[in-house]
Amino acid sequence: MPIPVILKAHEIQGRSLTFRDATLRDTEFILALRTNEKKSLHLSNTPPDPSEQRAWLKKYEESDGQAYFIIEKTSMPIGTVRLYDAQGASFCWGSWILESGAPAYAAIESALMVYAYAVDFLGFEAAHFSVRKANTRVWNFHERFGAIRTGGDAQDFFYSISAAAIQHGRRRYERYLPSGAIAVSAQHAALK
């Protein structure tokens, strides 16, 4: 079995949400989320300079091995999420931010979409990630979904989630993404 790799997708369609590949036109939206005092409390520091965000997005556009998405509801951006750091059959995900006022279901549907894309389309079997210790809502969410705390440092808890736990979580919360997700490549061709 080949080792999976993280590929960018032009778009991933869920039940109510869409992931769209991030581009330079998203600079201001991303910067507003990442520098929002409340939203950025549990994130790595982001300089408030638009030129630095544009440079990061330009580097992202030219890179391989990661996918950075704008989460949209009816074509309006409401958040971001990123897949990166593939390690064998495990991928990492993070940069998961939703605007205040996003629909209540957006967190669970977007998490299910991450797993649907990574497992069903890319072939990953597990995930790993870190969550700030102070971000109790998010690490509680991941633990309810089936992630296991594997360690930590002064700032973060480290997690992994197995293929069995991902599948169990997807079945448990299936009502939020009953038909799975549809991924479209950068060439607008179906991946599955």
Side-chain angles (χ1 to χ4, degrees):
M1 181 173 190
I3 297 173
V5 295
I6 299 170
L7 301 172
K8 295 176 174 85
H10 173 71
E11 184 176 281
I12 300 170
Q13 299 167 353
R15 185 189 74 181
S16 303
L17 302 177
T18 301
F19 289 176
R20 177 182 50 75
D21 193 37
T23 66
L24 288 171
R25 74 175 191 232
D26 300 306
T27 298
E28 296 300 328
F29 173 73
I30 293 168
L31 196 58
L33 273 180
R34 293 194 63 90
T35 58
N36 176 294
E37 189 175 314
K38 183 177 178 185
K39 293 292 177 181
S40 66
L41 186 61
H42 304 297
L43 301 174
S44 56
N45 186 39
T46 300
D49 182 357
S51 64
E52 288 188 41
Q53 185 65 55
R54 275 191 295 279
W56 190 95
L57 284 165
K58 182 69 174 161
K59 186 176 175 183
Y60 162 73
E61 286 179 349
E62 297 167 357
S63 72
D64 291 321
Q66 64 176 323
Y68 190 38
F69 296 112
I70 302 300
I71 303 168
E72 294 183 330
K73 168 73 174 143
T74 58
S75 299
M76 295 298 297
I78 63 166
T80 63
V81 68
R82 185 166 72 108
L83 286 69
Y84 60 102
D85 189 33
Q87 296 179 12
S90 180
F91 73 99
C92 185
W93 66 289
S95 302
W96 187 31
I97 315 166
L98 293 167
E99 279 190 321
S100 299
Y105 59 81
I108 189 63
E109 185 175 341
S110 61
L112 290 166
M113 290 171 68
V114 165
Y115 287 124
Y117 181 60
V119 173
D120 300 344
F121 295 96
L122 300 179
F124 285 94
E125 297 175 359
H128 58 278
F129 46 87
S130 62
V131 179
R132 295 284 194 255
K133 288 180 175 180
N135 199 352
T136 55
R137 287 182 59 199
V138 171
W139 60 255
N140 277 319
F141 171 88
H142 286 300
E143 289 178 8
R144 281 191 311 274
F145 199 91
I148 302 298
R149 192 179 300 171
T150 60
D153 61 19
Q155 183 169 274
D156 296 322
F157 288 130
F158 304 137
Y159 287 93
S160 68
I161 186 165
S162 68
I166 290 170
Q167 293 310 327
H168 177 75
R170 290 177 70 187
R171 282 191 304 274
R172 180 179 177 193
Y173 297 105
E174 183 177 25
R175 68 187 174 276
Y176 295 98
L177 195 64
S179 300
I182 299 169
V184 179
S185 76
Q187 292 78 34
H188 301 279
L191 291 172
K192 186 172 181 182

